[in-house]
Amino acid sequence: MKLRDGNLFKQQCLIGGQWVSSADGAVITVTNPADGSVIGAVPKLGRQETAASIDAAEKAWPAWKNLRPLQRSDVLRRWHALIAENIDDLALIMTVEQGKPLAEAKGEISLGMSYITWYAEEGRRVGGETIPSPWAGKQPLTIRQPVGVTAAITPWNFPMSMIARKASPALAAGCPMVIKPAGKTPFSALAMAELGLRAGLPAGILSVITGDSAEIGDELCSNPKVRKLSFTGSTAVGKKLMAACANTVKKLSMELGGNAPLIVCADADVGQAVAGAMGSKFRNAGQTCICANRLIVHDAVHDRFVAMLVEKARTIVTGSGLEAGVTQGPMIDSSAFAAMQAFVDDAVARGARIALGGKPDIKGGLFYQPTVLTEVTPEMRVFREEIFGPIAPVVRFRTEGEALALANDTEYGLASYVYTRDLGSFYRIAESLDYGMVGVNEVALASGEVPFGGIKHSGLGREGGRQGIEDYLETKYILLGGLSS
């Protein structure tokens, strides 16, 4: 990588303000999913080093929490400014290790920056309340205090924005954080940590540790000094982490799997709905938790929608995210790539029709063709499971009740979408969708200002918005007595 600032490419972990390697020299090799080339290696650390990072965070915590909120805000603002100054380098690092096109990488970084600026201000607005007293001579009130050491386990599909979304509310609230990034995309997290140090984060306030996922995760969950854990990833792993945290009764926020429906009503602007489906389904090669997993389209506009969707999907250009004009990168690894063909084969065997794609791209490697399937039914895996790839299953419906039944027929409840120009339909459907988020005639849901999260098996808690800082705070009730004398 030809970076303007080579010091942003770190192959060591950050613990207690120091860049460290593994004592035995063990490393994890990181490869570029676009061509399989080796990018570099990061330390393979474990439980002992994780405990050390937690201890460093606990030691640094008192001074950080006792700063004025404005002082912490100033550090976050400097962090934001440094990210903006280095966005080209950060995007290059992300594209090389994750695969998404450079333009998407820059978009992700910009989204992450919105969380930092939001919480730089929101941290200044954290306050308690004076409660009208039910007693003479007594005054109840509350204050808000940081929970203590926090931890985050972040995913590979959004390796920078997830750091910002989790770390910025923690830091703004006065909490230190230990981050365990995905092993496939560690360099983005390490670059963000380097810029955090430059912004003035004290030693120990932000640590990034790579290595054995099981050992690191076990220590983060079992260590009583960690009072809050934030995780984004699969539902299966999330359930294990929740169970592992039970003995220490930590605060948890979990953004887990999704199976987002996108409902297109008979009165919808079909062109707008197709544009939304394209932007949601094929972004990051379909490797997003909130992408439209099932396109549920009214019979009256079904054929027109499919024809337009196929036409638009044909314009997608697959290839390395570093190449000009490329709009879809590779799958993250061989297992994800193989899963795409398994989904298509299952759907076709059960009666689905391939309207576009349906096989590996001619470029070879981990590239899979943008795919559109029609005549999809609830028995097929593409309907029931999170696809996490560039496959768009289209389901036909005839009544609003049928559409809602199809949309809600899943254990997941993260994001959902509806396209309609009728005010009554919009309200009825949005209210009836059993999801934490609903986009109406819009698919770009995330921003620092708004709460992001799901229900059911898609997780708990919210990140973003005023709600996103709540899990990093404790409310303390104080009763002042003896005021009548």
Side-chain angles (χ1 to χ4, degrees):
M1 288 182 289
K2 295 182 179 179
L3 301 175
R4 296 178 181 176
D5 183 350
N7 286 328
L8 290 178
F9 184 68
K10 296 292 186 181
Q11 298 189 73
Q12 294 177 298
C13 291
L14 181 63
I15 298 178
Q18 300 296 316
W19 293 103
V20 301
S21 302
S22 57
D24 61 0
V27 297
I28 297 173
T29 301
V30 183
T31 59
N32 184 338
D35 59 16
S37 62
V38 174
I39 304 167
V42 292
K44 187 177 182 180
L45 305 182
R47 183 181 292 275
Q48 181 178 348
E49 294 87 356
T50 306
S53 67
I54 294 169
D55 289 343
E58 185 181 46
K59 181 179 179 181
W61 178 42
W64 180 250
K65 73 175 180 179
N66 288 327
L67 289 178
R68 299 191 310 277
L70 181 58
Q71 291 175 298
R72 293 195 295 266
S73 175
D74 287 343
V75 175
L76 287 172
R77 288 187 175 281
R78 288 195 295 272
W79 195 27
H80 176 278
L82 287 169
I83 293 169
E85 290 173 14
N86 292 278
I87 191 169
D88 289 336
D89 279 352
L90 295 174
L92 179 57
I93 291 171
M94 190 194 307
T95 293
V96 169
E97 69 175 349
Q98 199 277 335
K100 66 182 63 176
L102 278 170
E104 280 194 31
K106 288 185 179 181
E108 178 190 329
I109 296 165
S110 296
L111 172 61
M113 290 165 61
S114 76
Y115 290 94
I116 297 174
T117 50
W118 172 259
Y119 287 111
E121 288 301 313
E122 195 66 13
R124 299 174 62 190
R125 291 189 282 266
V126 170
E129 60 181 338
T130 301
I131 302 169
S133 181
W135 309 289
K138 303 177 185 179
Q139 177 59 62
L141 54 87
T142 64
I143 59 174
R144 313 291 297 285
Q145 296 178 308
V147 298
V149 177
T150 66
I153 300 175
T154 59
W156 53 262
N157 56 339
F158 290 95
M160 286 191 182
S161 63
M162 291 298 100
I163 300 292
R165 196 161 85 182
K166 296 176 188 300
S168 53
L171 299 174
C175 302
M177 176 169 273
V178 177
I179 298 173
K180 193 277 177 193
K184 293 179 175 65
T185 55
F187 297 120
S188 292
L190 294 168
M192 291 280 282
E194 166 65 18
L195 293 178
L197 287 181
R198 297 182 191 181
L201 286 174
I205 293 300
L206 185 67
S207 293
V208 177
I209 184 166
T210 63
D212 188 299
S213 296
E215 284 197 23
I216 295 172
D218 286 347
E219 184 63 27
L220 292 177
C221 291
S222 63
N223 194 311
K225 296 175 183 177
V226 177
R227 300 311 312 145
K228 160 72 195 295
L229 174 69
S230 176
F231 170 73
T232 295
S234 73
T235 297
V237 174
K239 290 178 179 179
K240 292 179 180 178
L241 293 174
M242 291 173 71
C245 288
N247 285 337
T248 51
V249 196
K250 302 184 195 307
K251 286 195 171 196
L252 297 172
S253 58
M254 297 272 161
E255 185 215 321
L256 308 178
N259 190 357
L262 187 150
I263 299 173
V264 182
C265 297
D267 68 304
D269 181 325
V270 176
Q272 185 184 44
V274 169
M278 288 292 299
S280 177
K281 174 71 261 185
F282 296 107
R283 182 169 66 111
N284 198 21
Q287 299 172 118
T288 76
C289 296
I290 64 169
C291 75
N293 208 61
R294 299 165 294 154
L295 309 181
I296 303 173
V297 184
H298 194 280
D299 186 62
V301 295
H302 175 277
D303 293 349
R304 185 154 56 103
F305 176 89
V306 169
M308 293 176 67
L309 181 65
V310 168
E311 181 183 3
K312 291 291 186 182
R314 288 188 193 277
T315 67
I316 293 174
V317 180
T318 59
S320 167
L322 301 178
E323 297 174 7
V326 165
T327 53
Q328 179 181 301
M331 303 303 296
I332 190 64
D333 58 26
S334 58
S335 62
F337 175 80
M340 295 306 101
Q341 197 60 53
F343 275 122
V344 171
D345 291 346
D346 172 81
V348 171
R350 296 174 186 270
R353 185 176 71 85
I354 299 175
L356 179 70
K359 56 186 178 182
D361 194 89
I362 58 173
K363 286 184 170 63
L366 299 178
F367 297 100
Y368 198 84
Q369 291 181 343
T371 297
V372 178
L373 301 176
T374 61
E375 309 306 324
V376 171
T377 61
E379 294 76 27
M380 299 172 187
R381 289 183 59 205
V382 289
F383 184 94
R384 308 223 64 84
E385 300 177 28
E386 185 175 29
I387 299 169
F388 233 63
I391 300 173
V394 184
V395 185
R396 192 188 300 260
F397 79 91
R398 292 175 176 80
T399 68
E400 185 176 296
E402 182 186 2
L404 285 168
L406 288 166
N408 289 333
D409 185 17
T410 176
E411 65 185 6
Y412 298 106
L414 187 55
S416 58
Y417 310 94
V418 56
Y419 279 80
T420 178
R421 287 182 283 192
D422 179 78
L423 182 60
S425 295
F426 138 63
Y427 189 80
R428 287 192 307 272
I429 294 173
E431 187 178 46
S432 300
L433 283 167
D434 201 10
Y435 292 82
M437 299 179 286
V438 182
V440 181
N441 300 324
E442 181 56 68
V443 296
L445 296 177
S447 179
E449 293 85 349
V450 299
F452 188 104
I455 59 176
K456 301 191 292 187
H457 287 218
S458 288
L460 48 86
R462 293 296 181 268
E463 294 180 326
R466 63 176 178 80
Q467 296 86 351
I469 203 168
E470 294 296 323
D471 281 340
Y472 297 97
L473 296 166
E474 296 285 8
T475 297
K476 179 179 287 184
Y477 158 52
I478 301 172
L479 178 62
L480 301 180
L483 301 181
S484 58
S485 58

